[in-house]
Amino acid sequence: MDPPAAKRSRGSPAGPEERDAGAGAARGRGRPEALLDLSAKRVAESWAFEQVEERFSRVPEPVQKRIVFWSFPRSEREICMYSSLGYQPPEGEQDARVPFTRGLHLLQSGAVDRVLQVGFHLSGNVREPGAPGEPEHLYHVSISFDRCKITSVSCGCDNRDLFYCAHVVALSLYRIRHARQVELRLPISETLSQMNRDQLQKFVQYLISAHHTEVLPTAQRLADEILLLGSEINLVHGAPDPTAGAGIEDANCWHLDEEQIQEQVKQLLSNGGYYGASQQLRSMFSKVREMLRMRDSNGARMLILMTEQFLQDPRLALWRQQGAGMTDKCRQLWDELGALWVCVILSPHCKPEERAGWLQLLGTWDKLDVCPLEEGNYSFNGPSLQPTMAPSPGSEEQEEGEVAATGSRHTVFGRALQAGDLHWEDPHLQRILAGDSYSPSLTGTMGGDKSAFDPQGRPLWLGEPFPTACARVDTLRAHGYPRQALRLAGAIINTLRLQRRHQLESYKQQKKELLQKGATCITNPEGWVGHPLDPIGCLCRALLEACRLEEETLSLYPDSGPEKRKVAYQHVPVPGSPGESYLALALEVALLGLGQQRALPEGLYAQDKVVRNEEQLLALLEEVDLDERLVQVLRKQAGLLLEGGPFSGFGEVLFRESVPMHTCARYLFTALLPHDPDLAYRLALRAMRLPVLETALPAGEPHPTPLDSVPSSRFPRWFILGHLETRQCELASAMLTAAKGDPKWLHVVLGSIQQNIHSPALLFKLAQDACKTATPAGSPPDSTLLGIALELGLQVMRMTLNTMTWRRREMVRWLVSCATEIGPQALMNIMQNWYSLFTPVEAATIVAVTGTTHATLMRLQLDTARREELWACARTLALQCAMKDPQNCALPALTLCEKNHAAFEAAYQIVLDAAAGGLGHAHLFTVARYMEHRGLPLRAYKLATLALAQLSIAFNQDSHPAVNDVLWACSLSHSLGRHELSAIVPLIIRSIHCAPMLSDILRRWTLSAPGLGPLGARRAAKPLGADRAPLCQLLDAAVAAYITTSHSRLTHISPRHYGDFIEFLGKARETFLLAPDGHLQFAQFLENLKQTYKGKKKLMLLVRERFG
């Protein structure tokens, strides 16, 4: 009987409906399936062929053929699973990287031929085109199979990868889709049994002749052993047949290259710093989940292999030795590994001996020193779901003791080991899983406990911690029991609802006392969001999966991660609960977990995980398009969160270290705003609190580090405080933006911001965002929002006034710009109140200047009177700054007051008064140069003399920073006239003791005649002589300075400086010669040096050679 035709599918892999392809073809032709085929299918799926042969003394050949025919896998889903990646490759690389896709293309192009099935062995050739200019490649492929599973593969391409190559895929798909075209033979042993001696000898000799170079040695060895009577081969009955299928004791599982899996995991872990390595390891975890979903035993096998390689990672020992934590990427992989083991151990269909073996392995791994510990202070024996008992707030000391009692060492495998004590035999649990209509009326006389149902008669699941119960849901979903997972999820949600009802009743009884106290202890020491078992995520994903609207084609890339396309959801009714849908339940559960008032866990990674888990849950919710039904759920849940007291993070009283609600509130605010603005604002404003800062920073106390968040040293446990403050700022920004045009809500939001946000950097960002929102391009500004932006900016200025930072200048400029947008009065107000906002330098150099620039005046569009008022305000500000800080503000004040004589005189007088009070020479010289530039040389001269009076330049300070200022002052006095020159000479002599500098000044003054008036317009007839007053005093001082400096240098001179000293003496001689008897004075000076320093013979020899 010919095998029935297989139904040919499209390019995507076929789903479970193609498992019975042959029978489908028969039915498609209107013929019922033969009883022989129906029986052969069942036998082929579950019995090893050896068992068939032992059970029946003689199996007819037609029956054998049908069993062999149906023993090959019938679904393409498994072929796809073992030949595709666990993640979506980059676009355009699918053919190059996904073996299933390549194999499908080879099949469709007719590349498979010479296909032969001999018993449980399939072989064939696959031709693959070569690269341009190269011949095509021919690969011989062999596949062994048993009980609808491929048990081994061999291909001439020598592919070394985790999964099947494209050529194995092509041959497998050919066998599934074109089963009738495959030549089918019984196992080779059946054929041999029909031959006589001559035929057998001919068969063997022809076989050896065809493959003599390969099999001749083996053939000779076997012949020798058979001829030896006592050999081992003669003691065994029969002979092996690779085409005869598996034995009874053989494991029945798909082929998995264990060595390649270990090698690949090892290599990926060694490249752990790269994003691609983590992504590929996650794809392998996804493949494990895919196998578990198909109830494939290789899922646990592959997980064991991966775990062994993870534990052999050399970085574990290094991190432990150094006392350093592992990287976040690595930590996340270990978390996923631990969660997968919980799913495997909790498997509802595994054999007890399998579970015992896994637990033994986990116990061994758990005791290893390098085995990572679970992060966070989560308990392993948390409170069970008990809806009739609501925890009552006690003292903070009791709460802290409970949180601290986290038990002994717990590794990432601790949860899986604990799951080994759980089972599925509970009668109530089995009834929940069995159907949707389970109620108290169905318990009959079996001792049904009414406490196991809620008042509406819906089942509850009690006596187990919530995370553990959710782990059961995740396990059912992971192992391919989606309906049972939904039923258990429904029972858990019924329990949570009842628990919340009792909690609210308990809170109402204690509400007055708690509100008077104003604080509470924590009612949930450990949160559900960020928990190692991710209970809220498990429930949400199970519920949302039931509501997905997706095409029915099989995806090549299950759980493909962040690249997944946006899915659409629909309402799917909950059986036994009229009016409810799984989509609404998912939203309710997510908000229940996100809104739970809970303590922040210990450790940086555990806290990061809380944030990451929050974002993942909200990302799931944001995929759901809200309709009227879901908006009603949002409204109801928002109301319950606001009334939830110490059980809700939005309650009226908060534990001081509870996790803030900013991220969740932002989602709720955005979602509720179009439908119920009042509720949206109430919820968001309630969530603005950050109690850990409120208890540490009393009202009115300035922020310790103004431009950063509170230092971690003050809150050693709150590693993510900066991130939380940023999220708080984002919530505030969302409210400000939404409230634009609504003065009532704008002022309420402003009050909340001022009360709850303590970071000046974030307040400044809010101010900037508000200003930007208030002034859209091409539209009139929102004056209220602009005023709020200015108010926030002023608050930042006051908070950071005593802290100098580079960001202050940016803030001050922005504040002036914001005030300008509001109007001239706002600008004048900040000028008039500058003492509490700015430093004198900021006020004089930025506020006053920026506020009076041409661009600002044009922007304000002021009339003449109003413009003069603004200028007067700026000048007053500048003068006040100059009086408070003349050193830095005098010159800006003078510059600003140039156009007003009275103000300019006042600024000049401030400089003169400051000079008497110790204003430094550098600043005086700067102002003096400014005065000269303004055409006021006498005032410049006055200030220069005041500066010289404070200056002192020693004999060895040739490069003193004031050298140029002194030369400028001397030039100024020379240009003014003999009188000013005479007055400055004594100051020069008293302040400057550097000989080269004195001689330089003297030379400059003798080059030209001095001026004859204040402006230096006329000059005397001839230059001054150096030997006459007033320059003779300067000449004497220069000569004396050279003599003193020479003796000072000779005291500690070294031979390498002799040359410099000779040059110095040359300059000295030039100065000496300016005097009438200078030649004689210099000769006496040299003689004195020779006598005094005659011990320095080499130096004195150089002196004689140069000067005689």
Side-chain angles (χ1 to χ4, degrees), residues 1082-1099:
F1082 187 69
Q1084 290 175 350
F1085 169 57
L1086 287 181
E1087 190 60 32
N1088 187 306
L1089 288 181
K1090 293 172 185 176
Q1091 291 297 323
T1092 306
Y1093 303 99
K1094 58 185 176 182
K1096 300 182 184 296
K1097 296 179 179 179
K1098 185 176 180 180
L1099 177 60

PDB file of all heavy atoms in Angstrom, residues 1082-1099:
ATOM      1  N   PHE A1082      81.895 101.951  37.057  1.00  0.00           N
ATOM      2  CA  PHE A1082      81.829 100.545  36.642  1.00  0.00           C
ATOM      3  C   PHE A1082      83.168  99.851  36.877  1.00  0.00           C
ATOM      4  O   PHE A1082      83.209  98.686  37.298  1.00  0.00           O
ATOM      5  CB  PHE A1082      81.430 100.449  35.163  1.00  0.00           C
ATOM      6  CG  PHE A1082      81.189  99.040  34.706  1.00  0.00           C
ATOM      7  CD1 PHE A1082      80.098  98.312  35.163  1.00  0.00           C
ATOM      8  CD2 PHE A1082      82.074  98.421  33.820  1.00  0.00           C
ATOM      9  CE1 PHE A1082      79.886  97.011  34.742  1.00  0.00           C
ATOM     10  CE2 PHE A1082      81.859  97.116  33.397  1.00  0.00           C
ATOM     11  CZ  PHE A1082      80.753  96.406  33.858  1.00  0.00           C
ATOM     12  N   ALA A1083      84.288 100.591  36.612  1.00  0.00           N
ATOM     13  CA  ALA A1083      85.613  99.999  36.846  1.00  0.00           C
ATOM     14  C   ALA A1083      85.804  99.694  38.326  1.00  0.00           C
ATOM     15  O   ALA A1083      86.342  98.637  38.700  1.00  0.00           O
ATOM     16  CB  ALA A1083      86.695 100.960  36.344  1.00  0.00           C
ATOM     17  N   GLN A1084      85.405 100.652  39.193  1.00  0.00           N
ATOM     18  CA  GLN A1084      85.505 100.405  40.648  1.00  0.00           C
ATOM     19  C   GLN A1084      84.637  99.223  41.067  1.00  0.00           C
ATOM     20  O   GLN A1084      85.027  98.395  41.897  1.00  0.00           O
ATOM     21  CB  GLN A1084      85.065 101.672  41.406  1.00  0.00           C
ATOM     22  CG  GLN A1084      86.048 102.828  41.283  1.00  0.00           C
ATOM     23  CD  GLN A1084      85.515 104.091  41.940  1.00  0.00           C
ATOM     24  OE1 GLN A1084      84.358 104.169  42.318  1.00  0.00           O
ATOM     25  NE2 GLN A1084      86.404 105.092  42.066  1.00  0.00           N
ATOM     26  N   PHE A1085      83.452  99.115  40.454  1.00  0.00           N
ATOM     27  CA  PHE A1085      82.533  98.005  40.766  1.00  0.00           C
ATOM     28  C   PHE A1085      83.157  96.663  40.380  1.00  0.00           C
ATOM     29  O   PHE A1085      83.138  95.706  41.156  1.00  0.00           O
ATOM     30  CB  PHE A1085      81.225  98.239  40.010  1.00  0.00           C
ATOM     31  CG  PHE A1085      80.288  97.051  40.017  1.00  0.00           C
ATOM     32  CD1 PHE A1085      79.853  96.481  41.204  1.00  0.00           C
ATOM     33  CD2 PHE A1085      79.844  96.486  38.813  1.00  0.00           C
ATOM     34  CE1 PHE A1085      78.997  95.389  41.190  1.00  0.00           C
ATOM     35  CE2 PHE A1085      78.993  95.405  38.805  1.00  0.00           C
ATOM     36  CZ  PHE A1085      78.572  94.844  40.006  1.00  0.00           C
ATOM     37  N   LEU A1086      83.799  96.618  39.190  1.00  0.00           N
ATOM     38  CA  LEU A1086      84.444  95.368  38.772  1.00  0.00           C
ATOM     39  C   LEU A1086      85.604  95.028  39.687  1.00  0.00           C
ATOM     40  O   LEU A1086      85.814  93.852  40.027  1.00  0.00           O
ATOM     41  CB  LEU A1086      84.940  95.501  37.325  1.00  0.00           C
ATOM     42  CG  LEU A1086      83.874  95.483  36.222  1.00  0.00           C
ATOM     43  CD1 LEU A1086      84.545  95.602  34.862  1.00  0.00           C
ATOM     44  CD2 LEU A1086      83.059  94.202  36.270  1.00  0.00           C
ATOM     45  N   GLU A1087      86.397  96.017  40.063  1.00  0.00           N
ATOM     46  CA  GLU A1087      87.536  95.756  40.941  1.00  0.00           C
ATOM     47  C   GLU A1087      87.056  95.201  42.277  1.00  0.00           C
ATOM     48  O   GLU A1087      87.660  94.297  42.845  1.00  0.00           O
ATOM     49  CB  GLU A1087      88.323  97.068  41.153  1.00  0.00           C
ATOM     50  CG  GLU A1087      89.666  96.877  41.839  1.00  0.00           C
ATOM     51  CD  GLU A1087      90.596  95.965  41.042  1.00  0.00           C
ATOM     52  OE1 GLU A1087      90.521  95.976  39.786  1.00  0.00           O
ATOM     53  OE2 GLU A1087      91.362  95.202  41.670  1.00  0.00           O
ATOM     54  N   ASN A1088      85.991  95.756  42.739  1.00  0.00           N
ATOM     55  CA  ASN A1088      85.414  95.266  44.004  1.00  0.00           C
ATOM     56  C   ASN A1088      85.005  93.795  43.867  1.00  0.00           C
ATOM     57  O   ASN A1088      85.247  92.990  44.770  1.00  0.00           O
ATOM     58  CB  ASN A1088      84.197  96.137  44.353  1.00  0.00           C
ATOM     59  CG  ASN A1088      83.650  95.807  45.733  1.00  0.00           C
ATOM     60  OD1 ASN A1088      83.358  94.674  46.025  1.00  0.00           O
ATOM     61  ND2 ASN A1088      83.506  96.841  46.573  1.00  0.00           N
ATOM     62  N   LEU A1089      84.385  93.459  42.725  1.00  0.00           N
ATOM     63  CA  LEU A1089      83.969  92.062  42.501  1.00  0.00           C
ATOM     64  C   LEU A1089      85.177  91.141  42.468  1.00  0.00           C
ATOM     65  O   LEU A1089      85.162  90.033  43.040  1.00  0.00           O
ATOM     66  CB  LEU A1089      83.197  91.944  41.182  1.00  0.00           C
ATOM     67  CG  LEU A1089      81.784  92.522  41.129  1.00  0.00           C
ATOM     68  CD1 LEU A1089      81.175  92.293  39.750  1.00  0.00           C
ATOM     69  CD2 LEU A1089      80.889  91.893  42.189  1.00  0.00           C
ATOM     70  N   LYS A1090      86.270  91.587  41.785  1.00  0.00           N
ATOM     71  CA  LYS A1090      87.454  90.727  41.659  1.00  0.00           C
ATOM     72  C   LYS A1090      88.079  90.452  43.021  1.00  0.00           C
ATOM     73  O   LYS A1090      88.565  89.339  43.279  1.00  0.00           O
ATOM     74  CB  LYS A1090      88.473  91.384  40.737  1.00  0.00           C
ATOM     75  CG  LYS A1090      88.012  91.491  39.288  1.00  0.00           C
ATOM     76  CD  LYS A1090      88.980  92.316  38.459  1.00  0.00           C
ATOM     77  CE  LYS A1090      88.470  92.545  37.043  1.00  0.00           C
ATOM     78  NZ  LYS A1090      89.366  93.420  36.269  1.00  0.00           N
ATOM     79  N   GLN A1091      88.072  91.467  43.883  1.00  0.00           N
ATOM     80  CA  GLN A1091      88.678  91.285  45.196  1.00  0.00           C
ATOM     81  C   GLN A1091      87.796  90.403  46.081  1.00  0.00           C
ATOM     82  O   GLN A1091      88.276  89.531  46.787  1.00  0.00           O
ATOM     83  CB  GLN A1091      88.894  92.659  45.869  1.00  0.00           C
ATOM     84  CG  GLN A1091      89.961  93.507  45.208  1.00  0.00           C
ATOM     85  CD  GLN A1091      91.324  92.843  45.281  1.00  0.00           C
ATOM     86  OE1 GLN A1091      91.682  92.199  46.283  1.00  0.00           O
ATOM     87  NE2 GLN A1091      92.096  92.956  44.191  1.00  0.00           N
ATOM     88  N   THR A1092      86.498  90.695  46.001  1.00  0.00           N
ATOM     89  CA  THR A1092      85.570  89.967  46.890  1.00  0.00           C
ATOM     90  C   THR A1092      85.424  88.511  46.497  1.00  0.00           C
ATOM     91  O   THR A1092      85.347  87.607  47.350  1.00  0.00           O
ATOM     92  CB  THR A1092      84.182  90.649  46.866  1.00  0.00           C
ATOM     93  OG1 THR A1092      84.350  92.038  47.181  1.00  0.00           O
ATOM     94  CG2 THR A1092      83.237  90.011  47.875  1.00  0.00           C
ATOM     95  N   TYR A1093      85.397  88.229  45.191  1.00  0.00           N
ATOM     96  CA  TYR A1093      85.130  86.859  44.743  1.00  0.00           C
ATOM     97  C   TYR A1093      86.331  86.291  43.991  1.00  0.00           C
ATOM     98  O   TYR A1093      86.187  85.598  42.996  1.00  0.00           O
ATOM     99  CB  TYR A1093      83.885  86.858  43.831  1.00  0.00           C
ATOM    100  CG  TYR A1093      82.658  87.429  44.515  1.00  0.00           C
ATOM    101  CD1 TYR A1093      82.270  88.745  44.277  1.00  0.00           C
ATOM    102  CD2 TYR A1093      81.927  86.660  45.416  1.00  0.00           C
ATOM    103  CE1 TYR A1093      81.160  89.284  44.911  1.00  0.00           C
ATOM    104  CE2 TYR A1093      80.819  87.194  46.058  1.00  0.00           C
ATOM    105  CZ  TYR A1093      80.433  88.494  45.806  1.00  0.00           C
ATOM    106  OH  TYR A1093      79.341  89.021  46.452  1.00  0.00           O
ATOM    107  N   LYS A1094      87.534  86.588  44.503  1.00  0.00           N
ATOM    108  CA  LYS A1094      88.736  86.110  43.822  1.00  0.00           C
ATOM    109  C   LYS A1094      88.849  84.597  43.856  1.00  0.00           C
ATOM    110  O   LYS A1094      89.593  83.998  43.084  1.00  0.00           O
ATOM    111  CB  LYS A1094      89.970  86.756  44.434  1.00  0.00           C
ATOM    112  CG  LYS A1094      90.137  86.495  45.930  1.00  0.00           C
ATOM    113  CD  LYS A1094      91.314  87.282  46.475  1.00  0.00           C
ATOM    114  CE  LYS A1094      91.444  87.108  47.986  1.00  0.00           C
ATOM    115  NZ  LYS A1094      92.581  87.910  48.540  1.00  0.00           N
ATOM    116  N   GLY A1095      88.101  83.961  44.734  1.00  0.00           N
ATOM    117  CA  GLY A1095      88.107  82.487  44.765  1.00  0.00           C
ATOM    118  C   GLY A1095      87.453  81.865  43.551  1.00  0.00           C
ATOM    119  O   GLY A1095      87.734  80.721  43.196  1.00  0.00           O
ATOM    120  N   LYS A1096      86.574  82.619  42.902  1.00  0.00           N
ATOM    121  CA  LYS A1096      85.897  82.102  41.703  1.00  0.00           C
ATOM    122  C   LYS A1096      86.763  82.469  40.500  1.00  0.00           C
ATOM    123  O   LYS A1096      86.458  83.396  39.735  1.00  0.00           O
ATOM    124  CB  LYS A1096      84.498  82.688  41.582  1.00  0.00           C
ATOM    125  CG  LYS A1096      83.597  82.364  42.784  1.00  0.00           C
ATOM    126  CD  LYS A1096      82.210  82.934  42.593  1.00  0.00           C
ATOM    127  CE  LYS A1096      81.333  82.715  43.813  1.00  0.00           C
ATOM    128  NZ  LYS A1096      81.066  81.316  44.115  1.00  0.00           N
ATOM    129  N   LYS A1097      87.906  81.758  40.371  1.00  0.00           N
ATOM    130  CA  LYS A1097      88.935  82.126  39.397  1.00  0.00           C
ATOM    131  C   LYS A1097      88.428  82.060  37.962  1.00  0.00           C
ATOM    132  O   LYS A1097      88.724  82.938  37.148  1.00  0.00           O
ATOM    133  CB  LYS A1097      90.151  81.214  39.565  1.00  0.00           C
ATOM    134  CG  LYS A1097      90.824  81.382  40.920  1.00  0.00           C
ATOM    135  CD  LYS A1097      92.017  80.448  41.054  1.00  0.00           C
ATOM    136  CE  LYS A1097      92.693  80.639  42.419  1.00  0.00           C
ATOM    137  NZ  LYS A1097      93.838  79.733  42.596  1.00  0.00           N
ATOM    138  N   LYS A1098      87.702  81.058  37.663  1.00  0.00           N
ATOM    139  CA  LYS A1098      87.240  80.911  36.290  1.00  0.00           C
ATOM    140  C   LYS A1098      86.301  82.055  35.917  1.00  0.00           C
ATOM    141  O   LYS A1098      86.377  82.610  34.815  1.00  0.00           O
ATOM    142  CB  LYS A1098      86.528  79.564  36.121  1.00  0.00           C
ATOM    143  CG  LYS A1098      86.116  79.297  34.679  1.00  0.00           C
ATOM    144  CD  LYS A1098      85.501  77.906  34.534  1.00  0.00           C
ATOM    145  CE  LYS A1098      85.104  77.652  33.092  1.00  0.00           C
ATOM    146  NZ  LYS A1098      84.511  76.330  32.897  1.00  0.00           N
ATOM    147  N   LEU A1099      85.416  82.395  36.836  1.00  0.00           N
ATOM    148  CA  LEU A1099      84.478  83.475  36.575  1.00  0.00           C
ATOM    149  C   LEU A1099      85.224  84.806  36.426  1.00  0.00           C
ATOM    150  O   LEU A1099      84.936  85.586  35.507  1.00  0.00           O
ATOM    151  CB  LEU A1099      83.449  83.570  37.714  1.00  0.00           C
ATOM    152  CG  LEU A1099      82.449  84.715  37.604  1.00  0.00           C
ATOM    153  CD1 LEU A1099      81.625  84.609  36.314  1.00  0.00           C
ATOM    154  CD2 LEU A1099      81.509  84.733  38.819  1.00  0.00           C
TER     155      LEU A1099
END
